[in-house]
Structures are given as C-alpha cells and as structure tokens.
C-alpha cells in the first residue's frame, strides 16, 4: 500500500465512519454498550443513551470485557474476560440476549473481536493454551457462529483485533504474555515476553506485516489499538517491567516506518502508571484518547503531529468511545463523562471498555 493510497483511505475514513454511525442511530434506541458489575454483584451488559443514561442491563454468566458490533448495528457479541469461554449474542433492536457460543476445546477468549465488513464472519482473539500460541478464531455468523479454521496470530497473547478500513486487513496487538487457565490471571513468561503488532489478510490468514519494538522494551505488552484518520495505528501498552521513571506506554504504527514509541509530556508513563486500558479515535479521525484506570488519567493526542495535547484526571476511568468531535468516558465508580457533562450511575461499576453502537 503506497503513500497515496494511505492518504486516500484517510480522506475517506471519516466519511465512512460518519455514514455508518448515522445508519446505526436510525436502527436502534441504544448508543453505547459496556460490560459492568451491578449493585447485587452480578455481571452484566449495560446499554446506554448518547448522554450516558442507562437504558437496559442484561445479566452475564461471569465478568465480560468488550463487545463486537455487527456492520448493520443490529447485533452485538459480548466476550468473556480472559480466561473465559462465553460469547453472548445480543439483539440491539429489542435489547435482548438471543444466543451464545464458546470457542473449540483447548481455547479461551481474550475478550475482543470484530466482524468482517460484510457481517458474515466474526473474528476473535483466543489462546491455544496447550500449544502456547495466539489464534484468531473465526465464526460463521449465518450458521449460528459455527467455528471455521482459525488463523495463527503470529504471537503470544493476542488481545485486541480490529479490521482496517480497507475491509481486508486485520490488525492484531499480540501482548506477548503467556497464560494458562490453570493459573487464571498469572503471567508466565514476563522475562521472555515478545509483544508485536501483526497485519493479517482476512481472506487467507497470510501475514501481511509484523512489527515489534526494540528488545529493550520487550516488557511493554501491546494490548489495545485503534486506526486513526491518516491510516496510522495507535497502540496502548501495559508495562510489565519496573515502573521507576516514566515507562513507555504509547506506540504508533505507520506503513514503511514500523512501530514508534511516541513522545509524551513529562512523566506521562508515571502518571498513567504504565497502563493504558482503552483507546478511541474521534469521529473525524484527528484525535486519539487514551485512558488509565490505574492512574486515573485521560490523555488526548493529535494524530497529525503525534503529540499529546491534553491531559486530565478521571478517577478509575477506562472505557472511552467517540462522541462526535469529543469523547465519552466511563469509570469503575459508575460515572459517565463527556465534554462539559457527567452522569452518575452508581452503584454500577463499568468495566474496561465502552463502545459506540
């Protein structure tokens, strides 16, 4: 893909995103979705309005993580948090659960997934834990999410996968951390972890490109990513090494330039406590927001310059989604924040991710 094509995609990206959003808004009464914990201790899915008002909650069998939204905006699939094995299918027209499925034996979800642009396949990040390798699970939507042959993610611990705007290329953040369900939340290879970013062809599973940071940063687990308006990929990391100083947390990928750690304001890594929990790009594609629940911080970045332009505190913030030119944020304290506004939904505790429908 040459420079001119990247610029063409960047120009078309905002219009494509806006058109898709308008179609979804006309088809459902809900605007945002997030996993959460309710006052009675149950885990659930929360469906929210544009201003963060709670419209519905649907109980989950255990803690959820993120949701994949179908291209027509009529359905969503909510994934279990690692090392969970459930995927719950929602009808967003009626606000009801209509089904569920699980990965094949020997695998579990990492909490993220994405639909193909035609809505016929769902692609998920998974752990083949006995073979200690990352997989992209593939499920045929029209046959009740029947599993298809999986793709190798070309790394350990694939966390988030997104479909690029070309509709043909999957981008995968391989976190590099080996885990096993017998040791549910333990990280088994911190001394030897090797995170990377891979681009994989959706049709064939072939590797398009692989990029890694210098070995000195091999403990920066690449976890979440978003495509910006200029077709660059922004990746939020979670640093597994010593937190002394200001550990790096933000990387950007550009074709022909590989992965680059971005300059931030002084002590950014320390303020974020080495942990970025979620990312989102503004509707126009010109700004990226990043959150840190551990640091209680939000940072906003300018896509064109690759510089941090804003930072502010939000206690226990993690979920973030675009809201026009600005962003909507959710917290573990049950608050929904937006530009010059706030909605307090305590005692709900929102989980890591917030996604626009």
């Amino acid at each position: 893909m040459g420079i001119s094509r990247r610029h063409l995609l960047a120009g078309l990206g905002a219009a494509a995103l806006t058109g898709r959003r308008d179609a979804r808004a006309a088809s459902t009464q809900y605007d945002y979705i997030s996993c959460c914990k309710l006052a009675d201790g149950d885990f659930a899915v929360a469906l929210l309005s544009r201003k963060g008002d709670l419209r519905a909650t649907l109980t989950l069998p255990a803690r959820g993580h993120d949701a994949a939204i179908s291209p027509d905006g009529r359905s969503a699939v909510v994934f279990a948090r690692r090392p969970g094995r459930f995927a719950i299918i929602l009808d967003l027209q009626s606000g009801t659960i209509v089904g569920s499925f699980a990965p094949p034996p020997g695998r579990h979800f990492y909490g993220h997934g994405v639909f193909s642009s035609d809505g016929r396949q769902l692609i998920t990040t998974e752990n083949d834990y006995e073979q200690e390798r990352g997989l992209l699970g593939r499920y045929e939507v029209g046959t009740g999410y029947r599993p298809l042959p999986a793709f190798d993610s070309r790394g350990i611990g694939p966390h988030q996968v997104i479909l690029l705007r070309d509709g043909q290329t999957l981008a995968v953040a391989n976190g590099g951390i080996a885990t096993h369900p017998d040791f549910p939340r333990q990280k088994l290879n911190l001394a030897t972890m090797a995170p990377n970013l891979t681009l994989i062809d959706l049709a064939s599973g072939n590797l398009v490109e692989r990029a890694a940071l210098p070995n000195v940063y091999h403990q920066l687990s690449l976890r979440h990513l978003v495509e910006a308006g200029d077709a660059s990929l922004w990746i939020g990391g979670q640093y597994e090494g010593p937190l002394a100083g200001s550990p790096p947390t933000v990387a950007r990928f550009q074709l022909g330039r590989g992965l680059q750690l971005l300059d931030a304001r002084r002590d950014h890594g320390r303020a974020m406590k080495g942990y970025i929990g979620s990312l989102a790009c503004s509707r126009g594609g010109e700004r990226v927001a990043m959150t840190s629940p551990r640091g209680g911080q939000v940072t906003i970045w300018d896509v064109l310059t690759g510089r941090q332009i804003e930072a502010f505190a939000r206690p226990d913030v993690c979920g973030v989604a675009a809201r026009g030119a600005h962003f909507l944020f959710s917290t573990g304290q049950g608050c929904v924040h937006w530009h010059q506004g706030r909605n307090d939904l305590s005692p709900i505790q929102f989980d890591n991710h917030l996604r626009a429908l």
Side-chain angles (χ1 to χ4, degrees):
M1 186 186 295
I3 295 295
S4 60
R5 186 171 177 222
R6 289 210 307 276
H7 287 173
L8 175 62
L9 284 173
L12 294 176
L17 286 170
T18 302
R20 225 169 25 232
R21 180 64 185 87
D22 290 344
R24 287 175 178 169
S27 67
T28 179
Q29 60 179 313
Y30 310 114
D31 292 276
Y32 296 94
I33 185 171
S34 177
C35 293
C36 66
K37 187 177 182 180
L38 302 178
D40 61 6
D42 283 346
F43 293 104
V45 177
L47 298 171
L48 308 172
S49 73
R50 179 170 172 77
K51 288 190 175 182
D53 296 316
L54 187 63
R55 293 283 178 82
T57 58
L58 306 170
T59 302
L60 296 174
R63 185 174 176 181
H65 191 69
D66 195 17
I69 315 303
S70 66
D72 62 8
R74 294 178 177 273
S75 62
V77 175
V78 176
F79 302 101
R81 181 190 192 222
R82 174 182 70 83
R85 287 178 41 83
F86 67 81
I88 303 297
I89 307 162
L90 308 183
D91 180 341
L92 295 175
Q93 303 298 294
S94 61
T96 58
I97 294 174
V98 295
S100 65
F101 63 96
R107 289 152 53 178
H108 68 69
F109 292 124
Y110 272 111
H112 289 274
V114 67
F115 282 88
S116 59
S117 56
D118 60 11
R120 294 181 178 179
Q121 283 189 49
L122 178 71
I123 299 93
T124 64
T125 50
E126 299 183 11
N127 186 15
D128 178 357
Y129 46 85
E130 297 300 346
Q131 300 299 318
E132 202 171 275
R133 64 171 182 151
L135 293 178
L136 296 181
R138 299 165 59 233
Y139 299 87
E140 190 174 56
V141 176
T143 58
Y145 293 85
R146 177 179 66 89
L148 301 170
F151 293 155
D152 191 328
S153 77
R154 274 75 171 192
I156 291 175
H159 193 71
Q160 187 170 13
V161 58
I162 64 173
L163 180 66
L164 302 189
R165 286 196 297 272
D166 63 8
Q168 302 172 355
T169 308
L170 298 166
V172 188
N174 286 300
I177 299 174
T179 63
H180 193 286
D182 288 349
F183 311 94
R185 303 296 297 174
Q186 291 187 35
K187 301 167 184 178
L188 304 176
N189 67 331
L190 294 185
T192 59
M193 58 184 287
N196 66 42
L197 172 77
T198 56
L199 303 183
I200 294 173
D201 180 69
L202 173 60
S204 65
N206 291 337
L207 179 68
V208 176
E209 190 163 347
R210 177 193 286 131
L213 293 169
N215 188 58
V216 67
Y217 297 119
H218 78 100
Q219 288 185 306
L220 179 61
S221 180
L222 303 177
R223 304 296 283 272
H224 298 104
L225 70 167
V226 67
E227 185 179 16
D230 65 348
S232 62
L233 297 178
W234 290 64
I235 304 100
Q238 297 174 8
Y239 196 70
E240 299 294 340
L243 291 180
S246 184
T249 52
V250 184
R252 178 175 60 177
F253 173 83
Q254 296 170 295
L255 286 169
R257 299 183 65 180
L259 275 173
Q260 301 169 298
L261 289 171
L262 295 185
D263 293 330
R265 293 181 181 176
R266 187 176 180 181
D267 291 336
H268 173 267
R270 183 182 299 167
M272 305 294 268
K273 294 192 176 178
Y275 188 101
I276 290 177
S278 192
L279 296 86
C281 189
S282 60
R283 293 289 180 200
E286 73 284 353
R287 297 192 305 155
V288 172
M290 304 185 186
T291 63
S292 172
R294 294 185 181 178
Q297 295 285 320
V298 173
T299 56
I300 310 293
W301 298 69
D302 179 74
V303 168
L304 182 62
T305 64
R307 297 283 182 175
Q308 180 188 327
I309 57 175
E310 191 176 354
F312 49 89
R314 290 286 184 272
D316 204 11
V317 64
C318 198
V320 56
R323 188 176 188 263
H326 302 285
F327 299 95
L328 197 73
F329 302 96
S330 58
T331 79
Q333 299 178 358
C335 295
V336 179
H337 298 266
W338 63 94
H339 185 62
Q340 298 181 335
R342 167 176 169 159
N343 196 354
D344 191 341
L345 300 177
S346 296
I348 286 178
Q349 300 175 35
F350 288 107
D351 221 297
N352 293 57
H353 297 289
L354 178 69
R355 194 160 297 279
L357 299 176

